[in-house]
Amino acid sequence: MKNLKFYCSLVYHVCFCGCRSSSSRYSPLPWQGHFDEDKMVAIPDSDDIFHVYLAGTEGPVVFCLHGGGYTGLSFALIAGKMKEKVRVVAMDMRGHGQSKTSDDTDLSAETQCQDVLNVVSAMYGREPPAIILIGHSMGGAIAVRVAAKRALPTLAGLVVIDVVEGTAMASLVHMQRILANRQLHFPSVEKAIEWSVRGGGSLQNPESARISVPSTLKFDADRKCYVWLTALEESEAHWRGWYEGLSEVFLSCPVPKLLLLAGTDRLDRSLTIGQMQGKFQMIVVRHTGHAIQEDEPDEFAGVVLNFIARNRIGTYGIEIPGLRRPVSLRSSN
């Protein structure tokens, strides 16, 4: 009898406590403490309201655009590491997170570019502080196209995370299959976080996933399970417009530029030539997945802060020692 009780007790601890431990390992974490606050930004003369996260009170604005299927919380960990020196703003793009627009399915490059310009204008008016645009994947393509418009008078820098035209265009023919093969239904938020880290998702850092993944889900009351909030497979009509011609547009942007890659095989011919000519700075971050800002937040934050310091980007623009007023932000890199 004693042996039987011991065996039952052992089974209980291994099965029940082990499952509970696994669940707690992937339980959601709050974004508070990384970002300082969030708010809704209403766009005048429209029904569009964009949700943004904010951190920091001083320095230039690091304005972050997430990739397709992600949200502004993709930048939570880096916000906490950078907010003592810069202000970090991360918006939920159209059709993502808590943002609500008149047409959440219109993810065209032109519409998303206008969304970014509208949010910056609504937040800062006609005299915004110096802005460094950061974009990951789809958000990187949008950041490049916003910069190329030269519509932000205080744009001081551009950082693109793991997206180049050649690789992106080549992958489009496989994208629907990739999306169809990912897990679509989860019994709990914890299981979605675990899948994102271990089961085929794009994240490697459990801490970041525990913050960012819950914001990418919604509960399906009919199926009684969690599903992805953004139906990326329905945005196929816009994919080519995000990436086509992106390399040349990136090279033409008249501000200091940084390209962060998770592997050198992602560099296409135009960017290889441009990098050799010194038209932009490139850094390859090893031992990371596609979402560099989530997988390696310490290294990412250090690289971006060094980029800002190297290009002497201050609160109101590019500050050169000895000059009372910042030089024009229209000058080429």
Side-chain angles (χ1 to χ4, degrees):
M1 180 65 71
K2 288 184 179 180
N3 289 338
L4 179 61
K5 288 182 178 180
F6 174 78
Y7 175 76
C8 290
S9 176
L10 180 63
V11 170
Y12 172 84
H13 281 285
V14 169
C15 294
F16 178 77
C17 296
C19 290
R20 184 175 59 182
S21 176
S22 175
S23 177
S24 64
R25 192 182 308 134
Y26 297 104
S27 61
L29 291 174
W31 55 261
Q32 290 85 352
H34 303 287
F35 287 108
D36 299 328
E37 61 175 321
D38 68 329
K39 67 178 182 179
M40 305 300 291
V41 177
I43 306 304
D45 303 319
S46 79
D47 296 324
D48 299 345
I49 303 177
F50 290 93
H51 182 237
V52 299
Y53 299 92
L54 304 101
T57 58
E58 298 180 351
V61 170
V62 174
F63 200 97
C64 304
L65 309 178
H66 61 76
Y70 296 77
T71 71
L73 289 182
S74 181
F75 297 94
L77 289 186
I78 67 103
K81 297 177 184 302
M82 297 173 63
K83 65 183 181 181
E84 296 301 320
K85 296 184 178 179
V86 297
R87 287 172 279 180
V88 181
V89 177
M91 66 180 282
D92 288 343
M93 306 287 279
R94 175 180 294 254
H96 294 75
Q98 298 181 49
S99 292
K100 301 296 179 184
T101 69
S102 58
D103 185 0
D104 285 346
T105 65
D106 182 6
L107 298 183
S108 66
E110 185 59 34
T111 296
Q112 292 194 82
C113 285
Q114 192 58 53
D115 289 342
V116 175
L117 294 173
N118 288 343
V119 170
V120 171
S121 177
M123 290 182 67
Y124 301 110
R126 296 183 178 181
E127 297 184 359
I131 292 174
I132 300 96
L133 272 180
I134 292 184
H136 169 233
S137 197
M138 176 197 76
I142 302 306
V144 168
R145 298 188 186 282
V146 170
K149 286 179 175 293
R150 308 190 184 200
L152 291 176
T154 57
L155 183 64
L158 173 65
V159 179
V160 176
I161 308 168
D162 209 43
V163 58
V164 297
E165 178 185 353
T167 303
M169 293 298 293
S171 69
L172 292 185
V173 295
H174 308 291
M175 191 56 62
Q176 282 290 4
R177 177 175 56 81
I178 293 171
L179 292 174
N181 287 338
R182 67 177 179 165
Q183 188 168 334
L184 301 177
H185 309 97
F186 303 94
S188 66
V189 174
E190 288 82 0
K191 287 298 182 183
I193 295 171
E194 183 175 4
W195 178 88
S196 297
V197 177
R198 300 180 58 189
S202 60
L203 302 178
Q204 297 182 6
N205 184 346
E207 182 185 8
S208 185
R210 293 169 68 186
I211 298 171
S212 66
V213 170
S215 65
T216 67
L217 302 167
K218 64 180 179 181
F219 185 73
D220 187 323
D222 295 330
R223 298 180 180 179
K224 293 181 170 51
C225 64
Y226 289 89
V227 299
W228 300 115
L229 176 64
T230 304
L232 287 178
E233 65 277 5
E234 298 177 5
S235 64
E236 183 176 7
H238 306 302
W239 295 348
R240 182 169 293 273
W242 296 345
Y243 304 120
E244 196 166 46
L246 188 65
S247 292
E248 293 298 334
V249 177
F250 173 75
L251 293 172
S252 72
C253 293
V255 292
K257 297 176 283 293
L258 170 63
L259 178 61
L260 290 174
L261 297 177
T264 52
D265 60 322
R266 292 175 171 83
L267 204 62
D268 60 26
R269 184 173 182 274
S270 295
L271 292 181
T272 299
I273 296 173
Q275 200 269 335
M276 293 174 64
Q277 294 173 338
K279 292 185 177 181
F280 64 94
Q281 180 184 2
M282 184 187 78
I283 294 178
V284 177
V285 181
R286 307 291 182 182
H287 312 297
T288 181
H290 180 46
I292 300 173
Q293 74 281 6
E294 296 208 46
D295 292 343
E296 295 291 342
D298 289 299
E299 184 170 356
F300 181 92
V303 165
V304 172
L305 290 175
N306 285 338
F307 171 77
I308 293 171
R310 176 174 175 262
N311 290 285
R312 294 173 291 196
I313 302 172
T315 304
Y316 301 106
I318 301 175
E319 297 178 348
I320 308 298
L323 297 181
R324 289 192 175 186
R325 301 178 65 84
V327 300
S328 172
L329 295 176
R330 295 289 189 182
S331 59
S332 299
N333 182 24

